[in-house]
Amino acid sequence: MLEQRISRRTFLKGSLVAGVLATFGGRLVPLAQAEAAGAAAPEASRAVPTICEMCGVKCGILAHVREGRVWRLTGNPKDPQSSGRLCARGNAGTKTLYDPDRLKGPMKRVGDGKFQPISWEQAFKEIGAKLQELKGRYGPQTLVWLAHPELISPLEKHFMAAFGSPNYTGHGPTCYSSRNVAFEQMYGGVPGVDYRNVKYYLAFGRNLTGGIKNPDIQKIVAARAEGAHLVAVDPRLSDFAFFADEWLPIRPGTDLAMILALINVIINENRYDASFVAERTVGFEELKAGVATYTPEWAAKITGIDAGTITRIARELAAAKPAAAVDPGWHAVTGSQYYNSVQAARAVAALNALLGNLGARGGLTFPPGIKFGDPSPIMGPKPPAAAGPRWDGAGSEKWPLNKAHGIIQIFPERVKEDKPYPIKAVVIQHLNPVRSSTDSGAFIEALKQLELVVAIDIQMNDTAYYAHYVLPEATYLERYDPLMTAGNKVILRQPAVEPLFDTKGAEEIIAGLAKAAGLSEYFNFTLEQYNDALLAPLGLTQAQLARTGVAEVKAQPPDYTKLKTPSGKIELACQAFVKAGSTLTPAWEPPLVEPGGDEFRFIQGHVPMHTHTTTDNNAYLHAIMPENELWIHPSRAGKLGIKTGDLVEVASRVGKVKVKARVTEGIHPEAVFLAHGFGCGVPLKKLAYNKGANDSALIPVITAPVSGAAAQCETLVTVRKVG
């Protein structure tokens, strides 16, 4: 068994946790304190309510503007996300707005790494003409749109529908696809956790304080202060594992075994919520039979967590029900890391159901529903039916449960094969798949084969570097966007300042492309008209909402007694998975690969001071963490002659990177860890260029069954000291 105790003081020294605590001063700073700190600011300063975009959470913020410049950002106290507080990334937003390396106007590729400035008129004209040419030669399905889903997504999808292509694909397969597929089938949707009121919280690989979701952190910190017990099961001493009451350093890829054993104990000892199970679930007897052999003793041999600990955790979890929750997860164990992630997500869903916590205080929750108006009457005629099947097969007979998320990681393979039809054009919006998908080298080669690559972003990222045209979007502090909701509130993103350069909002860019591609009739509306149509049933307009940025509206509470499943209940035994080639109830599946000899399992994840690959050139955040390091256990590092600070080469079957080593007991001996978001290959980003290593360069394309997610941690690597 791996030693489970480690000195917090020892680990904190020089750790990522030290960096994040330094950022917050050890805490999240309340709005009142932030206001007091800036009390000397001139009264001429005005505060513009808007929405942050330094990560995907989109907290409500106040942009403080003086003499036409944003000089400070604070949390909007009326916003249910930030509650008046911001994380390090939110506070650093001004350095994204005023980044000297950001895109300043449209550009056209004229050679390898060479671009020339062009006008918007020329960009739209040439791109539109090329889209029409390719559509005529290959059909509309030849165009793929890849995006990190943001508020603008409905208009991106509208463009693709008008063009006639079914090929809009998000980043879900490299993040949350497995979790979503599991919970959608079993619960009818993906619930969240009532972090504020939870009494016993168990996280498998979920780095809650490193992820970093500002509202969730505020709530879990408050819950812990009031006595909640937090348990982190993770091969790495992550930021959350450090914060939690217990850290269980499980063998990577074996979480499923422990979850099944927890279910086994709770059922066999009759510790489940019998009335909830009887009234609100189907398939209990099948689940009971399915987990009969998954004892704590069985799981201990697989996971490295002793049977007594597994039994204790199960009993404590059940004793705290229904204010007990096992986090559905996000990116890690239940998301896109392992070949068995769907089964792990299904097991987590079943375990929560046994606790009877859906809709209970401190359990799992669904958000209330806000009924918006229908904007379709102003969006032109009904678009034609999409031509042909999706490019990636999502929703097909092979992937029937993945209807919404796509399979982005197989893009290079599909481009190379010309199957099921030729893919000749791609628009990439707010996404950097060269560094955020798998096998960076393969993605670059795929981009080189295409006849048209258009990148829409605020910066020249590694993917835009291979585009034929780069279209600069205004930053979130310079533009409007479609509305968002949080709880029972509607929130508006609006510009705090005029665009600094020759940039446009995404809706202007999409409309410009549409009109140039012969789709004018579908985009004869403004974003304000679109938002007003959504707000009409609520008695609001965009202009009215702009005054406060946040408005409380009537919302329909979720009906936990009638779920969006065939039975209307939680489906512990689910035929949909059988039809998709899986098992009736959650079942053990080992990880796809096992390290042998001198190999390590390569695991990667996020850190609290950066978001994906979008913040590496932000001066404030770069100062906190300029590069990543390879975490390696002392027992393995010693045999390889590696010490902290040494340069090492990490090699997989698809690539190699060089990076500094960090020798630490905070990583399981079978694994090495590299933080995601570093290793920028674009010289134009002066701070980020060549800092750290690109983890995606090491990860082969492995697609998990059922969900179609990228099994990113089924990667084996070797490590050697350089020099």
Side-chain angles (χ1 to χ4, degrees), residues 65-106:
V65 181
R66 185 174 63 207
E67 297 179 357
R69 287 182 62 87
V70 179
W71 65 278
R72 184 174 60 146
L73 299 169
T74 59
N76 187 343
K78 296 180 181 179
D79 174 65
Q81 301 260 77
S82 71
S83 299
R85 301 176 176 184
L86 294 182
C87 69
R89 296 176 298 185
N91 278 296
T94 54
K95 282 299 183 181
T96 291
L97 173 63
Y98 298 115
D99 184 350
D101 298 337
R102 61 175 281 202
L103 294 168
K104 300 177 178 67

Side-chain angles (χ1 to χ4, degrees), residues 449-490:
Q449 292 181 50
L450 298 176
E451 294 189 36
L452 178 64
V453 179
V454 179
I456 304 171
D457 215 305
I458 65 171
Q459 57 189 335
M460 180 66 83
N461 61 36
D462 303 69
T463 303
Y465 200 56
Y466 294 93
H468 299 106
Y469 296 90
V470 182
L471 305 181
E473 184 183 17
T475 68
Y476 69 95
L477 292 168
E478 303 167 299
R479 71 173 194 261
Y480 286 97
D481 261 328
L483 304 169
M484 72 167 282
T485 62
N488 65 342
K489 294 187 178 181
V490 178

Side-chain angles (χ1 to χ4, degrees), residues 373-379 483 523-536 540-543:
D374 179 11
S376 59
I378 68 166
M379 299 174 72
L483 304 169
F523 282 88
N524 283 323
F525 63 92
T526 65
L527 182 57
E528 184 170 7
Q529 290 172 326
Y530 178 86
N531 282 338
D532 282 348
L534 293 174
L535 290 168
L540 286 170
T541 65
Q542 178 178 292

Side-chain angles (χ1 to χ4, degrees), residues 15 227 312 358 423 453 563:
S15 71
R312 173 180 62 80
L358 183 61
I423 296 171
V453 179
L563 304 180

Side-chain angles (χ1 to χ4, degrees), residues 166-493:
N167 296 327
Y168 177 88
T169 303
H171 83 303
T174 58
C175 191
Y176 50 73
S177 288
S178 292
R179 176 204 65 179
N180 283 29
V181 164
F183 274 90
E184 285 162 359
Q185 298 305 315
M186 295 176 67
Y187 279 60
V190 182
V193 176
D194 180 9
Y195 294 107
R196 180 61 184 86
N197 298 299
V198 72
K199 299 302 181 186
Y200 199 99
Y201 172 78
L202 180 59
F204 286 90
R206 179 79 197 277
N207 187 9
L208 191 63
T209 53
I212 176 178
K213 294 190 71 175
N214 179 5
D216 295 348
I217 293 172
Q218 293 188 48
K219 293 170 185 175
I220 200 71
V221 167
R224 186 174 186 268
E226 294 178 1
H229 189 78
L230 314 182
V231 180
V233 183
D234 200 311
R236 181 176 75 98
L237 187 60
S238 67
D239 306 87
F240 179 71
F242 179 85
F243 176 74
D245 298 285
E246 294 186 67
W247 171 46
L248 305 180
I250 196 168
R251 288 188 65 229
T254 67
D255 305 75
L256 172 60
M258 180 173 172
I259 303 166
L260 292 170
L262 293 172
I263 295 173
N264 174 286
V265 172
I266 289 174
I267 290 178
N268 287 342
E269 295 186 359
N270 293 315
R271 295 177 182 270
Y272 59 92
D273 187 327
S275 61
F276 182 94
V277 167
E279 297 169 11
R280 306 271 293 279
T281 76
V282 294
F284 174 75
E285 291 302 325
E286 291 91 337
L287 176 67
K288 181 178 180 179
V291 300
T293 61
Y294 301 139
T295 64
E297 291 73 22
W298 165 84
K301 296 175 183 177
I302 296 171
T303 63
I305 307 299
D306 66 79
T309 297
I310 295 173
T311 300
R312 173 180 62 80
I313 296 293
R315 291 170 178 171
E316 291 175 352
L317 192 64
K321 69 178 185 300
V326 184
D327 204 305
W330 201 271
H331 174 250
V333 172
T334 59
S336 61
Q337 301 290 49
Y338 299 104
Y339 208 66
N340 62 16
S341 284
V342 166
Q343 291 284 23
R346 293 178 65 189
V348 166
L351 181 52
N352 278 297
L354 296 178
L355 300 174
N357 65 12
L358 183 61
R361 183 179 173 88
L364 299 188
T365 66
F366 283 120
I370 295 175
K371 190 173 183 179
F372 277 133
D374 179 11
S376 59
I378 68 166
M379 299 174 72
K382 184 178 180 180
R390 283 181 56 94
W391 70 273
D392 53 11
S396 68
E397 185 177 344
K398 184 176 181 181
W399 307 104
L401 304 185
N402 179 348
K403 296 178 181 179
H405 312 301
I407 312 176
I408 191 174
Q409 71 274 12
I410 64 172
F411 184 79
E413 174 189 327
R414 290 291 188 263
V415 169
K416 184 177 181 180
E417 293 179 349
D418 269 355
K419 295 178 180 178
Y421 40 71
I423 296 171
K424 297 297 181 182
V426 65
V427 177
I428 304 172
Q429 156 74 358
H430 200 84
L431 189 68
N432 185 15
V434 166
R435 266 204 296 145
S436 63
S437 187
T438 53
D439 196 347
S440 297
F443 222 106
I444 290 171
E445 289 307 309
L447 294 176
K448 290 179 177 179
Q449 292 181 50
L450 298 176
E451 294 189 36
L452 178 64
V453 179
V454 179
I456 304 171
D457 215 305
I458 65 171
Q459 57 189 335
M460 180 66 83
N461 61 36
D462 303 69
T463 303
Y465 200 56
Y466 294 93
H468 299 106
Y469 296 90
V470 182
L471 305 181
E473 184 183 17
T475 68
Y476 69 95
L477 292 168
E478 303 167 299
R479 71 173 194 261
Y480 286 97
D481 261 328
L483 304 169
M484 72 167 282
T485 62
N488 65 342
K489 294 187 178 181
V490 178
I491 311 163
L492 175 69
R493 172 173 288 144

Side-chain angles (χ1 to χ4, degrees), residues 438-442 651-656 696-701 715-716:
T438 53
D439 196 347
S440 297
S652 74
R653 63 181 173 89
V654 298
K656 298 178 181 179
S696 294
L698 298 169
I699 302 172
V701 179
T715 300
L716 299 179

